[in-house]
Every structure is written in C-alpha cells, then in structure tokens.
Amino acid sequence: MFDIERWQEIFDTIRKNKLRTFLTGLSVASGIFILVILLGFGQGMQNGIAEEFKEDAATSLWVWPRRTTIEYKGLNPGRQIQLRNENFETITVSMGSDFEKASMLYFPRDVQVVYKNDLLVYNVAGTNGDLQTIENEFLSEGRFINQTDVEQNAKVAVISNKIRREVFVDVETPIGEYLTISGAGFRIVGVFGEHGENEGEEERLFVPITTAQLTFNGADKINNMNFMLPERESFDDMVAENTVFTDQLMRYLKQKHNVAPDDDRAIRIWNPIQEAKRFYDLGTAIEIFFWAVGFFTIIAGVVSVSNIMLIVVKERTREIGIRKALGAKPWSIIGMIMHEAIFVTAIAGFTGLIFSMGLLEIVGPHVEVDYVLNPSVNFNVAFSTVILLIIAGTLAGFFPAWKAVKVQVIEALRDE
C-alpha cells in the first residue's frame, strides 16, 4: 500500500541533506554510467574483431612455401621449397575428412592481359571453385570457377568488381566478353567481390588452375594451398581442431620436402582463427577489467549511500527515540531508513542507466575505428546491473537502520 506520509518524510530528509544526497546519487549514477559505457565498448571490440576477420572464412588457413633456414639431411639452408599438385592430392586423400573446402593457387609470371587491344595491369591466378567459399567472396554476376572447368582445362575467367568498373564501362555486362591472356582467349563467366575494403584482392582475375598450369608453363607447380575446416559449436573446439590439423599438415610437408622439424620459416601457415583467438582473449581480458572498474565504482557509490544513511540516523536520533517511545515497531524504523536508501539508489541507478544507454544509442552506430565497431550493450544486462545495485543499496541501508533500532529511548531523547 502506498504510504504518502512515509514518502513525504523521505522527500523532507532529502531536502535537508540535498548536497550530500546529490553527491551520493552522483556517485551511484556515475558508477552505472561508467560500467554501461565500458561494457558497450567491450561489445564494440567484439564487433570490430568479428568484422576484421569477416573478409575470409573464420576457419580457413593458408599455406605457402619459402626458403629453408636450417641445414637438414646434408641439404644446405636457403633452398626454395616448391609445392606441387601431388602435395595437395596427398593431403586431400589422407586428411580430407578434417576439412570442408580446399583450394590451390598458381600465379603465372610474365603474363599479359589484353582486352580490345588495351593492355590491362592485373594479376592472373589459377584456382578451383572452393576458393570462393574459403575467401568469402560473393558473386555480382555469373558464376565462379567450377570443377568441370578444372577437369576440362576450360579457358574461362572470373574478374573482380574493380576490373568490371575500370575496364568494362562501355558494356552492359562483361559476361561473355573475351580477354586475351598471353595470346590465349578466355571467356568471362563471372564477376566476384570481396567483403571489406581489401582492394588488393580485387586486383586479380581467376582462371582454372589446370588451364593456368598448362597454358602458362606451370607444370604441376602451385604457390598456395588453402583449407577451410568445419565450424564447431564452441570457439575453443574450433581452435583445438585447427591446431591439430595445422600440426599434421606441417609435419607432412616438412617430411615431404626434407625440411628440419624446427625450421619454422621454410613453410608458412597463416591461421586467421589463431589470430582471432589472440584478439578474443585480449577482448575478454579487457571486458573483465571493465567489469572490475565498474564494480568498484558501484561499490564506492553503495558505500556513499551507507554513509549518508548513517548521517541521517545520527541527525534523526531524537526523532527515532520519540517514535520508539510512542510504540513504533523495530521493522517500521528499519523500513523508514531503508526506504530512503532504496529511493536514492534507484533514482541514481536508473538515471545513470538512461544516460549511458542513450549515449550509446546515439554515438555507437557512428563509431568505426580499428577493432571497435558500433559499441552497444544488452539492455537486459544493464537493467540487471541496476537491480543488483538497488539490492546492494538496500543492504547498505540496512546496517544504519539496524543501528537506529538499537538506539535506547532515553539516550535518544537526550540527544540534542
């Protein structure tokens, strides 16, 4: 039941102690405000990290050869390692159940790309159809390289959106147009795009890898192998599976090419999920730090509430004595003090929540810096934090209230 007199007493007390009440409320509100803002930026970091790794499939990895740096089995360091079709086929057979997609890349040298007598300065790469999924490319028009193209050594090409914009401005669609690559004609069958702003990936066009090796004297050489592992329910499971696959892959390639087991530079593997794990671990650590800062800020506010309630009890000692002399029950006196603590904590907490959520709602969508994107916080989490704060404020008011109950009537009436 709503007690008008009780709430009138609370407002009277607040007016009498308005400066202390204001400072206490400010401390509590700032605690909630800081916590919500920090949590918002913690989520913004998670969003930013996800966006940074969105350009390629999260479970993908890239393998490419370099030179040996350690003498091994009588072979001098400095040997250039060359991956070949046989390596890819062996991995596909022996480890095929461990990955979902696999592709290889061959980059022919000294090739010229010509369109209608105009020399184009773009790179050519031979590959297969799985590359589209591994590199998370989307199709704007037509199709990508497929298995039939690879098996039939088809002379088809897939160009990028960038090439389409720069070269084919005078045609409605480049599909069906022909490019001449080192004297051989290739029909354009598709246009692809890259997520993000990685224009370097759009400086190239793709042809079937078998066609590239055969047409441009590549024999069975490949420059790159790419794999995409299956996604798992948890991030930790994906990392663990990725680590096992990477170790097996590296062990096979080192044995095949006579590379010392401790030579980490001869064959390189770029593993986005391992990079992502480092960033996620850092983000988790920062989020824990944010929670700690917000927690201690809120604790400071709760202590302020307890202190001001102690002052209120001291200032109202005589009043409390009179109430007890007139037969006031202990719980009515406890309720009187705790009502004030709850009121101050709730008003300050919800004020901090409203201002912080409003700020994130207005500013968050416009924040786009490296590894921070659209800072935001789940309203349920923020609201639950305020409820916990109110509970803490209630406990903070209980101890001064209990002290008030313990006041002896005679001593209270003597208080000046």
Side-chain angles (χ1 to χ4, degrees), residues 197-218:
E197 299 179 357
N198 192 356
E199 290 192 356
E201 300 289 341
E202 292 200 4
E203 291 285 347
R204 61 186 180 181
L205 57 92
F206 295 114
V207 299
I209 187 167
T210 51
T211 308
Q213 291 173 332
L214 182 64
T215 305
F216 309 122
N217 302 317

Side-chain angles (χ1 to χ4, degrees), residues 31 62 72 104 147 158 171 211 245 294 308 349 351:
W62 280 255
Y72 186 64
M104 45 186 171
Q147 188 60 30
V158 179
V171 297
T211 308
F245 179 82
I308 196 173
T351 300

Side-chain angles (χ1 to χ4, degrees), residues 355-369:
F355 275 96
S356 58
M357 293 293 290
L359 181 63
L360 287 176
E361 189 70 24
I362 295 172
V363 178
H366 304 289
V367 176
E368 293 184 10
V369 298

